[in-house]
Amino acid sequence: MIDPIIFSFKLFALQVTLRWYGVLVMLGAIVGAWFAEKRSVVAERAVIDLGRMMVWVLPIGIIGARLWYVVNNILGGTTYYIDNPIKILYIWEGGLHFFGGLLFGAVVLFLFLKKNGMDPWLFLDAIAPATLLGQAWRDPPISSIRNFMDRRPNFPGGFQSTRCTACLNSQI
């Protein structure tokens, strides 16, 4: 079993924990941004400062991913976040959803590009493959880590989470 925590230390009264999921999400964002920059140069489009753009897009994307996850749970009939609203802020306990991050990040990106005088549609066209690459770069390692954490064998060569199966069955 792989530990989801890479390392943890105490900084004054704050416990700082670095998890594999966070590292892989950020690695996916970095790879996607690098690819977007290379693609925008090849496509002879104006290159913007991707670092400045990512400062806005990433945090809002993470907030959007969390909100999407919470709203999805509430609409699915779970009262956990209604009963414990402070838990909405506990992002380290898990619960991000790709579509929320993509939607909120795209809206912020669109506004950022408009504010900086760029054509958002040309830039979005240039970075569309980077979004897929970033997701692909992040997803297989996370799936592999999840397969070895708290799972039991269900079929040859693979593992199935009983919690995941229950979630999927409840949404059918």
Side-chain angles (χ1 to χ4, degrees):
M1 177 155 68
I2 297 175
D3 190 354
I5 297 173
I6 300 172
F7 64 82
S8 182
F9 62 91
K10 196 156 185 109
L11 182 65
F12 304 110
L14 181 67
Q15 184 71 28
V16 178
T17 304
L18 184 62
R19 298 176 187 269
W20 284 109
Y21 184 81
V23 169
L24 293 172
V25 167
M26 291 312 299
L27 189 59
I30 291 167
V31 168
W34 172 80
F35 185 75
E37 183 179 42
K38 297 298 180 197
R39 184 160 158 77
S40 64
V41 169
V42 169
E44 298 180 6
R45 294 177 171 97
V47 178
I48 64 168
D49 181 5
L50 282 174
R52 198 165 52 104
M53 178 190 71
M54 295 296 276
V55 165
W56 291 99
V57 172
L58 278 178
I60 300 298
I62 291 170
I63 291 168
R66 179 62 174 178
L67 288 176
W68 191 287
Y69 176 83
V70 170
V71 169
N72 195 31
N73 273 287
I74 291 170
L75 293 176
T78 305
T79 61
Y80 179 74
Y81 293 109
I82 294 171
D83 298 339
N84 307 296
I86 192 69
K87 294 285 189 173
I88 294 171
L89 301 175
Y90 292 5
I91 198 166
W92 57 88
E93 290 184 357
L96 298 175
H97 200 287
F98 174 74
F99 295 120
L102 184 64
L103 176 67
F104 279 62
V107 168
V108 170
L109 176 63
F110 188 84
L111 295 173
F112 180 87
L113 293 171
K114 281 298 224 186
K115 183 178 184 270
N116 288 290
M118 295 190 66
D119 183 2
W121 302 114
L122 286 175
F123 189 79
L124 290 173
D125 182 50
I127 68 163
T131 304
L132 295 173
L133 179 65
Q135 177 69 4
W137 185 270
R138 176 202 73 92
D139 214 28
I142 288 176
S143 297
S144 297
I145 289 170
R146 283 182 185 155
N147 285 340
F148 292 103
M149 294 182 340
D150 190 29
R151 306 301 191 249
R152 57 184 188 139
N154 195 28
F155 59 91
F159 294 87
Q160 180 69 35
S161 166
T162 56
R163 287 181 292 175
C164 182
T165 304
C167 293
L168 290 174
N169 290 339
S170 68
Q171 294 178 359
I172 294 177

